[in-house]
Amino acid sequence: FFFVFASHIPDPPWSSAIVLQMMQTVADGGSEAFGGLAIALGKTLVVVVFGYVLGTLRICDPSAGKGLSQFLTWVAFPSLIFHGIITMELGQLSWVVFSCILVGKIIPMTLMVAIVLLTSGARKGERLKKAGILGLFVTMTNDVAIG
């Protein structure tokens, strides 16, 4: 429901004006995959800066910010991920990028689990819990923005 209407909304002028033009300039000099990454990171940067400015200038009331945060966390973001997974074309998926992200997550997680298991003085059950949680914390990043 949300994406039927959201797909017809154009990008706001603040997201496409300066930052996206700069990111496109950087992307033109590199490969196609780097161009897509630069544009995704540019959009994410614009949204973060926009939110920071709204909070700093107190344009957005804290209670409105809390309501917006709950809506984004429980409705919009899961809808976006669900829509992305359902409409994904596996033929266009860059398996090299996917593999790099996968390996880039497995290595630090394995290292953290090994470090905790070897150095923690807690009981075995507590050590496994701690290793699992810290291993997940090491790998929790904003990969959704990459696309």
Side-chain angles (χ1 to χ4, degrees), residues 17 19 21 25 45 58 94 96 104 126:
V19 175
Q21 185 177 4
T25 303
L45 178 66
R58 299 184 190 266
S94 174
V96 173
E126 295 296 319

Side-chain angles (χ1 to χ4, degrees), residues 57-135:
L57 298 177
R58 299 184 190 266
I59 294 172
C60 186
D61 186 59
S63 62
K66 185 177 179 181
L68 181 62
S69 176
Q70 288 179 346
F71 169 74
L72 291 174
T73 301
W74 297 104
V75 178
F77 192 61
S79 309
L80 180 67
I81 291 176
F82 181 74
H83 181 267
I85 290 172
I86 295 300
T87 60
M88 178 173 51
E89 295 181 25
L90 291 177
Q92 294 181 351
L93 181 65
S94 174
W95 290 102
V96 173
V97 173
F98 177 77
S99 301
C100 290
I101 290 172
L102 185 64
V103 169
K105 292 207 175 272
I106 289 174
I107 291 173
M109 184 175 192
T110 305
L111 287 173
M112 178 56 75
V113 168
I115 289 170
V116 171
L117 290 176
L118 293 174
T119 62
S120 179
R123 294 177 300 148
K124 185 176 182 181
E126 295 296 319
R127 202 173 20 190
L128 288 174
K129 290 178 193 175
K130 189 175 185 180
I133 290 172
L134 291 177

